[in-house]
């Protein structure tokens, strides 16, 4: 049995973390989206990918005020539909982010390793089509994920985001393993492969070549790998282990 002090600490931690995320993420992602849509007149493939990434992050951030209210009040007041919707958006954002970051990495890999042969693949039309495919995949994923989430009525209270029984985890664990493999592990491997391919090409050319200075390609890949390692890896590993347990 959890003590009241432990529950208070956990709820305060969640509410504070989500509140800080909204306070920082909402203005920064809104500004980024405004820059991509209004200020950058040339719609290149990276801009299209970054625009969709900002939209994905904004959707995630807009789902957090419901969580903040819930963990402050410890009572869910918004009905079953909002519980399912906000939790689904919260979950699938991890995978829209991984896929869009992977597309950015693939685009930079093609620009450096196959600059002439890949002009068509790096066109705005192909980038828009790739983003449409990602959103289509995520929408398909959202349906089985949504079925796992709903509000739960208890004595004198209604809860959301927590309290799922062992039966729910048993039915969801195969889905968790499949999604983790397809939209986290495989994209992570692709990014690492692209990074080493770019580094191999980099050592073949003269140090004074301006290509890598212009694209800042190595720092970009290191940033993407760092995001996967720091932000996505702990979540996915913990989710899989907890589901298996």
């Amino acid at each position: 049995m959890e003590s009241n002090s432990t529950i208070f600490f956990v709820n305060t931690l969640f509410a504070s973390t989500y509140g800080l995320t909204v306070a920082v993420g909402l203005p920064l992602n809104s500004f980024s989206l405004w820059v991509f849509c209004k200020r950058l007149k040339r719609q290149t493939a990276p801009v299209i990918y970054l625009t969709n990434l900002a939209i994905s992050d904004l959707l995630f951030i807009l789902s957090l005020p419901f969580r903040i209210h819930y963990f402050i009040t410890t009572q869910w007041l918004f009905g079953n539909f909002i519980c399912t919707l906000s939790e689904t958006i919260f979950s699938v954002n991890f995978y829209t982010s991984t896929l869009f970051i992977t597309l950015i990495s693939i685009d930079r890999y093609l620009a450096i390793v196959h600059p002439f042969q890949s002009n068509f693949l790096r066109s705005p039309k192909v980038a828009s089509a790739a983003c449409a495919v990602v959103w289509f995949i995520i929408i398909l994923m959202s349906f089985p994920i949504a079925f796992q989430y709903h509000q739960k009525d208890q004595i004198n209270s209604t809860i959301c985001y927590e309290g799922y029984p062992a039966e729910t985890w048993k039915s969801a664990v195969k889905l968790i393993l499949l999604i983790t493999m397809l939209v986290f592990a495989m994209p992570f491997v692709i990014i690492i492969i692209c990074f080493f391919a770019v580094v191999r090409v980099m050592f073949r050319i003269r140090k004074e070549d301006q290509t890598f200075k212009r694209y800042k390609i190595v720092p970009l890949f290191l940033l993407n790998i760092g995001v996967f390692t720091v932000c996505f890896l702990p979540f996915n590993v913990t989710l899989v282990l907890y589901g298996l347990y």
Side-chain angles (χ1 to χ4, degrees), residues 190-223:
I190 290 172
I191 290 177
I192 293 175
I193 292 174
C194 290
F195 171 69
F196 282 108
V198 166
V199 170
R200 184 177 63 179
V201 171
M202 182 181 67
F203 280 109
R204 290 181 180 176
I205 64 176
R206 300 188 308 271
K207 291 183 179 180
E208 62 271 16
D209 192 289
Q210 297 299 310
T211 301
F212 294 97
K213 295 179 182 178
R214 184 170 69 251
Y215 284 113
K216 297 182 174 62
I217 190 72
V218 173
L220 174 64
F221 271 103
L222 293 176
L223 178 61

Side-chain angles (χ1 to χ4, degrees), residues 173-193:
V173 67
K174 292 182 180 179
L175 177 64
I176 292 172
L177 292 172
L178 177 63
I179 291 176
T180 301
M181 180 62 64
L182 293 180
V183 289
F184 170 72
M186 288 181 59
F188 197 11
V189 171
I190 290 172
I191 290 177
I192 293 175
I193 292 174

